[in-house]
Amino acid sequence: MHGVGFRESTVSRARELGLTGWVRNEADGSVRVHAEGAAEAVRAIEGFLRDGPPSARVSHVAVEQVKVEGHEQFAIRGLSAGVFVIQEHQARTHHFDLRLELSGAMRSWALPRGPSLDPAAKRLAVQVADHALAHNDFEGPLEGGGVIVWDLGTYEQGGRVAWPEALTRGHGVFVLYGEKLQGGFALQRTRAGEKPQWLLIKRRDEHAQPGSDIVAEAPRSVLSGRTLSELMGDTGARP
Ligand code: MN
């Protein structure tokens, strides 16, 4: 049922009904819809899905009750907002730089301990200057230290508030499609000022790995397969 405007017409109908939730195309050709709102409005969207929008051939509608997510406006999931990259960086201090493409630049945060897939781990993320997109695949020695591309992929923006307004307000929800990091994350600002402090938190979804330490488990560059210390060993330096 892909490619027949199903997602767009569903989003538009859901908005008319005052529902929150999301819709996305799945790889098997089905369309997955998550709807929250008044029981009557949910029944109305079910009816709409059974009939299908003009030109869609609906073969089957499966309805299941799921836990309320309660945080998203009706949105199309599956549309990339841009690229993300995480670079492991040995400078004066060792850290990981999380960068999300936003308005033609890479919005950046330095994470002293790196990211985590454990929803219980709240990782400090200090906002730093935006970087150029051209820097995303940089890997090599740098000013006595070094950089590897630890993870790379695309991301989707989520949440009730559109980006970049969401980040301006201090709370961004997003979904990563990386090689190592996948699923929902939140960035929550905890301190404003010259170097705003945020927390990066893995959301509880099927990609969460409670108790895991992805930084230790998967230390290698997704571009070259090298670890940062191997790269710096190549130059004679040590992290
Ligand atoms: Mn850095």
Side-chain angles (χ1 to χ4, degrees), residues 15-218:
R15 284 191 177 133
E16 288 167 14
L17 290 165
L19 291 166
T20 58
W22 47 263
V23 51
R24 83 176 294 164
N25 288 338
E26 300 290 346
D28 65 1
S30 66
V31 178
R32 179 171 288 266
V33 178
H34 173 96
E36 298 170 25
E40 197 175 310
V42 172
R43 277 196 299 275
I45 197 80
E46 264 180 58
F48 171 84
L49 292 169
R50 283 178 209 287
D51 294 340
S55 83
R57 286 173 299 104
V58 177
S59 58
H60 178 65
V61 175
V63 176
E64 59 176 321
Q65 293 287 332
V66 293
K67 209 172 71 187
V68 168
E69 295 187 16
H71 63 275
E72 284 174 296
Q73 274 185 340
F74 224 93
I76 292 180
R77 284 190 184 179
L79 293 185
S80 175
V83 298
F84 90 91
V85 63
I86 294 184
Q87 286 159 315
E88 185 180 2
H89 183 190
Q90 177 66 47
R92 276 186 301 114
T93 60
H94 173 257
H95 60 276
F96 292 76
D97 291 296
L98 164 67
R99 310 187 198 279
L100 301 174
E101 182 179 356
L102 196 62
S103 311
M106 299 302 291
R107 187 69 60 91
S108 297
W109 292 262
L111 284 72
R113 297 183 59 199
S116 177
L117 288 171
D118 182 348
K122 296 177 168 61
R123 292 294 166 87
L124 173 64
V126 180
Q127 193 174 340
V128 294
D130 287 2
H131 269 233
L133 271 70
H135 186 74
N136 284 351
D137 59 1
F138 174 77
E139 178 167 306
L142 182 68
E143 295 166 353
V147 174
I148 61 165
V149 176
W150 185 82
D151 201 10
L152 187 63
T154 60
Y155 83 104
E156 296 169 10
Q157 298 164 354
R160 281 188 187 283
V161 180
W163 291 42
E165 173 69 17
L167 290 184
T168 305
R169 294 194 194 180
H171 185 71
V173 177
F174 55 101
V175 181
L176 295 182
Y177 295 89
E179 292 189 26
K180 299 176 187 175
L181 299 186
Q182 276 147 15
F185 286 80
L187 271 166
Q188 175 67 51
R189 191 168 57 215
T190 56
R191 191 191 295 178
E194 201 164 305
K195 283 198 166 180
Q197 293 190 6
W198 301 66
L199 293 174
L200 177 68
I201 305 162
K202 179 74 193 75
R203 300 194 58 225
R204 294 178 192 281
D205 59 20
E206 68 272 28
H207 298 291
Q209 290 176 20
S212 77
D213 183 1
I214 186 72
V215 163
E217 290 156 17

